[in-house]
Amino acid sequence: MTRRHTPARLPAVSCLMALVAIGLAVLPAPTAHAIVGGRRTSTARAPWAVAVNLWRQADSYPRSGQFCGGTLVTRTKVVTAAHCVVTEAPTDLGIVAGRTDLRRHDGTLRKVTKVWIHPRFGRHLENDVAVLTLEKPLPAKYTPLPIATAADTGVYRPGTAARVYGWGLLDYDNTQANLLRSADLRVLPDRTCQRLNPGGDYDPTMHACANDPVTGAHHAEGDSGGPLVAGGRLIGIVSWLANSNDTTPTPGVYTRVSAFSRDIARQIRDV
């Protein structure tokens, strides 16, 4: 089974109906799916995991307007994927923190006032990183997650245990997840994903690759922009699904956060 450039975002407006929709005009591939093969978790365990939503649907049934994921890196800044927000006006966006079940009305809502998209973000999902600025700080109980930097080489070592989080689709029948889920993965060697994607789409200078070699659990549509975490740090941003084979089931491709840590840090300082 192969999947090429399957971003993990749901369509928001008329084309944003899944968890990880792609930016229509700029992205070449169909949408991806949610955490397939994962398990339930909670925002109490992952207080930095937030739902990126359409603000006008932020407190509406059934799923809080969620179409992508994000990671709180300060109390006013959220890291997500560029392909999640490239077609949206900042005034149309919001986030929900502390809402494990998207059907409920708990947690804290914040409007987005500014969106920074990497200036070299491209239609093949290169430089797939964005930073959202919130209208005001979230309460202190929402603990931000530190980002990986260039010094954090160990978290990208092949075999490193990592965990991905999201509200994406649960299966290939487009069953939507209402509760936050996670899956335990292992970081793959860069050469593995390069071999499976010989067209050069996988670039180890800006991508990281991970999968579950036993169950094949992976991110899916609606998970785009969400966190890949290892060593207590944000090491990856859900971007797309790579080609796979019998020995390497469903690798997920993530924006390598350490490669963009300086860019992200500049946006964090820009309040």
Side-chain angles (χ1 to χ4, degrees):
M1 173 174 59
T2 61
R3 293 180 188 80
R4 183 177 178 76
H5 270 197
T6 313
R9 168 192 173 190
L10 283 178
V13 200
S14 61
C15 296
L16 284 176
M17 292 196 55
L19 292 171
V20 192
I22 46 178
L24 303 177
V26 295
L27 301 180
T31 55
H33 305 72
I35 304 265
V36 174
R39 63 179 182 275
R40 292 181 181 180
T41 185
S42 71
T43 53
R45 295 178 179 175
W48 28 259
V50 303
V52 177
N53 66 1
L54 295 176
W55 180 253
R56 62 185 176 274
Q57 301 174 12
D59 213 16
S60 63
Y61 183 86
R63 301 190 67 261
S64 305
Q66 186 269 353
F67 64 92
C68 270
T71 307
L72 190 69
V73 295
T74 76
R75 290 170 60 202
T76 60
K77 301 287 183 174
V78 169
V79 170
T80 188
H83 79 257
C84 283
V85 295
V86 68
T87 61
E88 304 295 339
T91 53
D92 291 334
L93 296 171
I95 66 97
V96 185
R99 185 174 293 179
T100 296
D101 188 337
L102 295 177
R103 298 167 297 184
R104 298 178 63 88
H105 298 276
D106 54 353
T108 304
L109 311 179
R110 287 289 185 268
K111 289 182 179 180
V112 171
T113 58
K114 178 184 174 183
V115 175
W116 174 83
I117 294 172
H118 195 282
R120 291 190 298 278
F121 169 66
R123 65 189 312 269
H124 295 291
L125 300 184
E126 60 270 26
N127 305 299
D128 192 11
V129 56
V131 179
L132 313 180
T133 300
L134 308 181
E135 60 175 339
K136 58 183 178 180
L138 284 164
K141 65 181 179 180
Y142 299 115
T143 310
L145 186 66
I147 64 171
T149 69
D152 295 311
T153 57
V155 292
Y156 296 101
R157 188 173 297 120
T160 298
R163 184 171 292 170
V164 62
Y165 296 81
W167 286 270
L169 300 181
L170 296 173
D171 53 39
Y172 300 115
D173 294 323
N174 292 335
T175 305
Q176 294 183 340
N178 293 312
L179 279 71
L180 180 64
R181 297 177 69 86
S182 68
D184 292 328
L185 309 177
R186 295 283 176 176
V187 175
L188 289 167
D190 288 324
R191 63 179 179 274
T192 299
C193 277
Q194 287 178 301
R195 184 175 66 250
L196 290 170
N197 298 270
D201 292 334
Y202 183 87
D203 182 346
T205 67
M206 67 176 68
H207 295 137
C209 195
N211 79 338
D212 184 327
V214 178
T215 68
H218 58 279
H219 65 249
E221 187 171 346
D223 292 323
S224 282
L228 180 70
V229 180
R233 294 184 176 274
L234 177 66
I235 72 164
I237 304 165
V238 174
S239 187
W240 48 282
L241 291 176
N243 293 329
S244 60
N245 59 24
D246 291 341
T247 58
T248 311
T250 323
V253 177
Y254 302 84
T255 302
R256 184 180 292 252
V257 169
S258 64
F260 300 96
S261 59
R262 291 185 179 180
D263 296 303
I264 294 171
R266 279 194 289 270
Q267 296 307 312
I268 289 174
R269 290 194 296 268
D270 180 16
V271 179

